[in-house]
Amino acid sequence: MAKVQLKNLEKVYGNAFKAVHGINLDIDDGEFMVFVGPSGCAKSTTLRMVAGLEEISGGEVVIGDRRVNDLPPGKRSIAMVFQNYALYPHMKVRGNLAFGLKIAGKPKAEINEAIDRVAKILEIEALLDRLPKQLSGGQAQRVALGRALIKKPGVFLFDEPLSNLDAKLRASMRVRITELHRQLKAEGLSSTVIYVTHDQTEAMTMGDRICVMQAGHIMQVATPKGLYECPANLFVAGFIGSPEMNLIDARLDGSSFSVGSQSLPIGPHLEGRLSARPAEAVVGTRPQHLSLVADGPAFTAKLANAEFMGHEVYLHADLEGRRVVSVVGTADFEALGRSEIIRLRPEPERLHIFDKTDGRNVSL
Ligand code: ADP
Ligand code: MG
């Protein structure tokens, strides 16, 4: 069993800076949990407290059924993979893989068997006799993965492991890591993962669940679909999804909402979801859900720019002095001809209303 629990976890650094503000999180055995958030939000600090590399200032970390606060990293049943690989430069790949098991005093035959198994999984058999400096970035990262895997830990901890790779390699390593996780689970090996990244695409594509963090607080924990469809607050709404959700200051007046001098009916669907009617509201609509329409209720906006992406076009338009983005099909864009004034309709089923004062989504 390697579930991980964070209970009122706090970190205050030596300079009295409070980096982690009492967070609570339960990660299931075998779950792939992603910590995502902007740089400086305390993802690494939190992960390093789980790993035992950073002292815990308050609260508890529980791995399996053990409180591990006072256990050294080597006793926590974890393995960590870092951004910079941290391979021993003077040892060949084989030596790097063997290192942890040698220290643990495992017999030679067992170590060799483990190396063969891991090398096969990661397709690094041909690299075993090379030094780290003779490896490409992607190969070095696979060796670093292998070094974690060979320990058969209860929990894998990853801190931005793909940040040093180019975009193409990052995309393929992403798939490799998720497939590896699935494979380990299928083999009955407990393989709980905590994966730290600032990249929302990595978070969305890899996580069973995602924990969105900001300034040492958890903003929301949910599945990728849950975060995308039901962001709990403005921060999550703006952070998850690409292009970013349009977040537009608005007023709720009776049965309509207004942006500048333009109004649209709230409609029964959204009305039914409203748990409050904030005086200062922000409406949120994703660019994919802001459609170009010929008639019916819609906002009128002035087209400012069109980015051609191949199968779709990102329209940038000015709506009452606010910039909005709409993703439309290429054919719809071409049908526009030369007209500069466009009509944009937010899909009512996918519209969000936030309270501007506290950022809360009042339309879930
Ligand atoms: P992230 O990994 O999300 O980018 P970190 O966990 O590295 O964020 O840092 C969280 C916050 O703690 C940041 O504001 C950072 O400047 C601060 N911090 C990190 N390490 C130290 C330290 N040793 N002493 C003081 N402040 C630190
Ligand atoms: Mg970090």
Side-chain angles (χ1 to χ4, degrees), residues 93-162:
V93 168
R94 187 184 295 282
N96 266 284
L97 291 175
F99 188 75
L101 301 183
K102 261 192 190 154
I103 295 288
K106 301 281 185 205
K108 201 163 174 134
E110 189 183 319
I111 295 178
N112 284 335
E113 201 178 305
I115 290 175
D116 288 345
R117 183 181 65 89
V118 164
K120 188 153 179 280
I121 293 176
L122 292 167
E123 296 169 43
I124 52 174
E125 294 116 311
L127 309 176
L128 290 174
D129 292 314
R130 291 200 198 171
L131 287 166
K133 67 173 182 220
Q134 298 168 312
L135 303 175
S136 71
Q139 291 169 335
Q141 192 50 277
R142 268 187 282 160
V143 175
L145 264 177
R147 217 174 38 173
L149 208 56
I150 206 163
K151 291 167 73 179
K152 292 192 182 167
V155 186
F156 288 96
L157 306 175
F158 292 90
D159 195 349
E160 313 242 9
L162 307 184

Side-chain angles (χ1 to χ4, degrees), residues 18 21 25 43 52 57 59 81 124 135 162 215 227 236-237 254 275-276 281-282 322-324:
K18 191 162 188 177
H21 295 257
L25 182 66
K43 304 178 294 294
S57 315
V81 180
I124 52 174
L135 303 175
L162 307 184
L227 289 184
V236 175
S275 57
V282 174
R322 298 156 180 90
R323 188 51 74 91
V324 294

